[in-house]
Amino acid sequence: MQFHLNGYHAGDPDIADLDARFETAPPSPSMPPEVDVLIVGCGPAGLTLAAQLAAFPDITTRIIDAKPGRLTLGQADGIACRTMEMFAAFGFAERVMREAYWVNEVAFWEPAAISDSGFSDQPTPITRSRIIQDTEDGLSEFPHVILNQARVHDFFLDVMAKSPAAITPDYARAFRDLTIDNDADNTHPVTVTMTRTDAAHEGEVETLRARYVVGCDGARSQVRRALGRRLEGDSANKAWGVMDVLVATDFPDIRRKAIIHSAEAGNLLIIPREGGYMVRIYIELEALGTEERVKSRNITADHLVAAAQKVFHPYQFDVKQIAWWSVYEIGQRLCAKFDDVSTDDMLTADMTSRTPHVFIAGDACHTHSPKAGQGMNVSMGDSFNLGWKLAAVLRGQAAPHLLHSYSAERQAVASELIDFDRELATMFSTRPEDRANPAPNTPDTQATPNTTDAKPDAEAEAEVEVDPAILQSYFIKHARYTAGTMFRYHPSLITASPDYQHLATGFDMGMRFHSAPVVRVADGRAMHLGHTIKADGRWHLFAFAGAGDAGGDAGDMAALCRFMADDPASPLRAYTRAGADSDAVIDLRAIFQQPHTTLRTAQMHPLLVPVKGTLGLRDYEKIFAVDHKSGDDIYAMRGINRDRGCMVLVRPDQHVAHILPLDAHDALTRFFAGFMLAV
């Protein structure tokens, strides 16, 4: 990390406000009359958005929640590799890894053959059929981990409190309603009313006006209701129980993620928890009737324990303590739009004039089963997508029509997730069949978007029999999807078409920037290039030098730097305000093929060692080289053209926006001109 740019100051360098380094001010007892952004809901989606907007002290952001205080026990726990990459941008990935359970392997269990059990009159015992690696090598530099949702909240709250805007949640405030005034002259078009729920002010109504409102208030979202939006979809008429338990057992894979198919007692999923002792168990329960709801069954924790014990036969499963338990119905539901602009408006109105002012994110706009562990991950991805766009518009860097891209991009992602989740949940809930007769239609392609009105036929699904081997094959094939690394944004205003994909085949256009090792030239530190991307709203331009280019005046790298620094058409000059650091909007970094000890900083263009801050200090951390010592060559690992090199432009949310030749200066200018505003 970098600090001391504007002078030496003692204390925690993570805290941006110097006066608050040793003491944090208490939250305001009342709401201001106007804000730039109001976030409703302190769940993962809301806190991700608040943490991102907290980087901008010139944006007034408030976040409210009806709860009296911070979450102490969460229900979500799986953290995908892609989400860990996002956490690195916020600066707390290492803290998560230290506390979390690492999912290294997955065990598959199935019914033993009757002849193997020796007890034909007893329930069929289970036997392990396979252990596989959870995440393929090289998929991400971060692991797939399990950690209580409340701890993730704590880390985000810490980031918020220490950031330049020093945001703390306004708890005990329940959202009531909102109205939108689309008059172009109204700078704060959304009026929100809320009710205080704390004992000292219970029942008091507060009103404020906002430029933008984001509903992150869960599956029963009141913001969604106020917009007239609905979650469309259906339940699969299957009930599952879940419990976090401390258990004494002789089951050999209790500390591995495990999928168990039993012959008579249903199916079960094991997710070991952090700390070394606790484990989460998902247990299949009996099918529900066509119009039946799970609450009518009066299922207790004892029912869940008894059901789990039957599945674990012949192993003992003695529950010593239940930390938390619940029963839920499998269902996949999705909103048609994630903002307040109607489909009719999009067809008839000028999209540059009718821009959204209210958004929904996370469970407020998509719900699904927890089997794939994607709920919390995709919810945070929603906010990570939206946050930098709101900041760019509010700070006058981008045109408001950029905000249309949020619903378009994230609704497509959620639709893919719904399809994937429906298929996976069906496989979990069907009984195993004789391995001599494998099930037809083995899934062999990634889940594709589907219409939200395509409802599953629960009775038909109940009759399907899936060989455990089929589920294993499906799980292995779609591990990248579960890891969160398969989401792709399609060509749009902010994601170019893949015309030059051949220059960097390992950086897939529209997908997340797949980090790789490099060496920082200034100090010889081996590190990951992707870790230079922070959640600060900046665009990142990685320039990979061609063969023989060491940064000298005659090379393409120097020519690119001269264009960016001096040409009036340069996007860096067009969008960076006078007096701001040269990397305030577009962060240019260079990567060379030579060993780092042979490169000379003194011969590099000044843009690669820029003068910054109030003291005019140089930033020496923008030049990198291939890691020749370890052999992890980023050019080879990511398919970068060695002869020509290339530019890889990365969005503030870590997705690849463009790949261009090093000399394609005009194309770079045209790309930014589509949505950015010149200062």
Side-chain angles (χ1 to χ4, degrees), residues 36-40 175 178 190 192 208 210-215 223 357-360:
D36 292 320
V37 181
L38 176 69
I39 304 167
V40 182
F175 173 90
L178 62 79
V190 189
V192 176
L208 63 73
R211 294 181 188 271
Y212 299 100
V213 172
V214 186
V223 176
H357 287 279
V358 182
F359 308 86
I360 49 177

Side-chain angles (χ1 to χ4, degrees), residues 330-401:
I330 292 178
Q332 294 86 12
R333 298 177 177 87
L334 179 66
C335 269
K337 285 285 266 84
F338 291 4
D339 60 35
D340 63 301
V341 181
S342 70
T343 303
D344 290 341
D345 285 341
M346 293 192 68
L347 294 174
T348 61
D350 177 4
M351 288 296 95
T352 62
S353 60
R354 178 63 177 99
T355 56
H357 287 279
V358 182
F359 308 86
I360 49 177
D363 286 354
C365 45
H366 51 78
T367 63
H368 28 78
S369 78
K371 298 298 184 304
Q374 290 296 295
M376 180 171 67
N377 295 279
V378 175
S379 295
M380 291 186 288
D382 290 346
S383 297
F384 200 40
N385 178 289
L386 178 61
W388 69 268
K389 297 173 182 177
L390 283 172
V393 171
L394 286 165
R395 305 181 83 206
Q397 296 173 343
H401 65 263

Side-chain angles (χ1 to χ4, degrees), residues 35 93 176 185 219 235 254-255 275 308 333 343 353 369 399 431 451 454 471 493 507 533 544 563 575 591 612 625 679:
V35 298
R176 290 182 59 180
D185 296 328
S235 169
I254 197 64
R255 295 307 298 170
R333 298 177 177 87
T343 303
S353 60
S369 78
R431 64 186 186 275
T451 56
L471 177 60
L493 196 69
F507 291 128
I533 302 174
F544 292 87
F563 164 73
Y575 310 120
I591 304 93
K612 295 167 53 178
V679 297

Side-chain angles (χ1 to χ4, degrees), residues 81-83 85-86 135-136 138-142 384 480 483-489 506-516 528 533 638 648-651 653-657:
C81 301
R82 170 69 191 110
T83 302
E85 295 171 1
M86 184 189 76
T135 304
E136 68 184 86
L139 186 61
S140 175
E141 70 275 23
F142 289 107
F384 200 40
R480 290 188 178 190
T485 62
M486 289 298 291
F487 295 124
R488 181 193 302 273
Y489 295 139
F507 291 128
D508 292 299
M509 189 70 72
M511 298 180 75
R512 112 292 195 191
F513 180 79
H514 191 179
S515 184
H528 261 266
I533 302 174
R638 300 295 174 257
V648 179
L649 180 63
V650 181
R651 297 168 17 160
D653 56 9
Q654 300 175 317
H655 281 256
V656 177

